[in-house]
Amino acid sequence: MTALIRSARPDDHDAIRAFTTDTFTWGDYVADSFAGWLTDPDAEVAVAVVDDEPVALARAVMMSATEGWMHGARVHTDHRRKGLATRLNDHLCDWVAERGGLVVRLMIEAWNEPAQRQVELAGYRLVCTWTNAVRGLGSEPDPGTNGGRRVPGDEQLVVGTPAEIEPAWVAWSTSQLARAGRNLYPRGWLMRRMLRSDLEDAVDQKRLLHGPSGWIVAEHEDDDTMFVPLLVATDDDAYRMVRAVVDRADRRDYTRIRAMVPTIEWMTDALARGGFDLSEEQIWAKTVA
């Protein structure tokens, strides 16, 4: 039977939970997020239905007036290799285009070759690679001190004022990092083009921090985690900035840091040296206009 593609409904929740609970070794976030997704006016959740039962889903979000983001694609194990993911993707690309979108992006782990092949066949192209860097805080030894206790760095980050907006914007927008990351700005696990107004908002919310070696935006991801979607530094200053980021999170009693940075060797080397575990994420894009 040919699957029907339609917008998701609240009564789809139980069926979706049944085939998404154990997607990864740690579980999945889709079922817990599903109800909130349906209330977002800037997003569309589509499902593939067989015999009145959802067997696949995906979500698109308008990240700006012209940028869509695709994520949350899941297919029931009994219904894979039937083209459902491609049909859902096509449906959501049309939804983005109808709202004035010009491009759709998505993220795939660098190790996930089957998913990469699938989106390439669907017309996406690889545009850049980002690194997700995670570090725990607490009583662990500092990798930079041969197993000794962590010693604070010689730089401290302070809350930025409006005077920091222009130098931070110029430093970022002209940097190797911005070019490598296609000027994208992580919003959690989603991305869009960065704007100068993002730094203005960060200053208003006291999230733009700076020190002698650069700037960061620091956000509260959850009770335990400080999320850094923007880290601006040069190759000579990257490690000092990494140490300053760790010190800042430690002083604020976070137990975990997560940073997203464009994949450049000198930046990832600085993060690894600072004790971060690194994983690569590929960003793929497709024009839909």
Side-chain angles (χ1 to χ4, degrees), residues 11 13 45 53 58 60-61 73 84 86 93 107 110 114 117 151 188 193 201 212 217 221 248:
D11 60 352
H13 178 268
V45 182
E53 187 89 351
V61 185
L84 296 183
T86 299
C93 284
M107 180 185 296
R117 288 194 295 270
V151 178
R193 298 269 302 182
D201 292 342
V217 171
E221 187 167 64
R248 176 76 183 189

Side-chain angles (χ1 to χ4, degrees), residues 34-236:
F34 181 75
W37 284 355
L38 296 184
T39 64
D40 187 344
D42 295 321
E44 165 76 351
V45 182
V47 293
V49 178
V50 174
D51 293 332
D52 296 324
E53 187 89 351
V55 297
L57 85 156
R59 181 181 187 239
V61 185
M62 293 302 298
M63 301 297 294
S64 73
T66 60
E67 299 168 281
W69 184 268
M70 203 85 67
H71 73 129
R74 305 286 187 270
V75 180
H76 192 296
T77 54
D78 293 342
H79 294 271
R80 292 177 181 170
R81 301 184 182 278
K82 298 179 181 180
L84 296 183
T86 299
R87 290 183 61 198
L88 286 168
N89 190 284
D90 291 345
H91 172 88
L92 291 173
C93 284
D94 290 343
W95 180 88
V96 170
E98 289 167 3
R99 280 150 187 80
L102 302 177
V103 63
V104 172
R105 302 184 184 94
L106 53 81
M107 180 185 296
I108 302 176
E109 301 90 344
W111 54 264
N112 194 344
E113 293 183 2
Q116 294 161 23
R117 288 194 295 270
Q118 178 186 349
V119 300
E120 189 170 21
L121 289 172
Y124 288 82
R125 64 187 181 91
L126 176 63
V127 294
C128 59
T129 301
W130 282 65
T131 293
N132 182 54
V134 178
R135 186 194 198 279
L137 295 169
S139 59
E140 78 285 352
D142 182 3
T145 60
N146 293 321
R149 310 315 312 161
R150 190 176 66 82
V151 178
D154 54 5
E155 296 185 10
Q156 290 191 7
L157 300 177
V158 298
V159 176
T161 67
E164 292 297 325
I165 294 173
E166 187 63 20
W169 175 247
V170 171
W172 165 255
S173 61
T174 60
S175 69
Q176 294 180 25
L177 291 163
R179 290 193 295 274
R182 291 298 184 99
N183 293 298
L184 296 177
Y185 188 42
R187 312 312 302 133
W189 287 97
L190 287 60
M191 294 188 183
R192 59 166 169 75
R193 298 269 302 182
M194 188 172 180
L195 304 172
R196 189 180 187 279
S197 59
D198 291 317
L199 294 180
E200 296 169 357
D201 292 342
V203 167
D204 289 344
Q205 299 166 19
K206 301 187 184 304
R207 296 185 289 106
L208 180 66
L209 309 176
H210 69 99
S213 294
W215 297 263
I216 68 166
V217 171
E219 300 178 349
H220 183 78
E221 187 167 64
D222 55 42
D223 290 342
D224 300 318
T225 305
M226 184 177 85
F227 175 50
V228 179
L230 181 73
L231 197 166
V232 185
T234 65
D235 53 350
D236 291 333

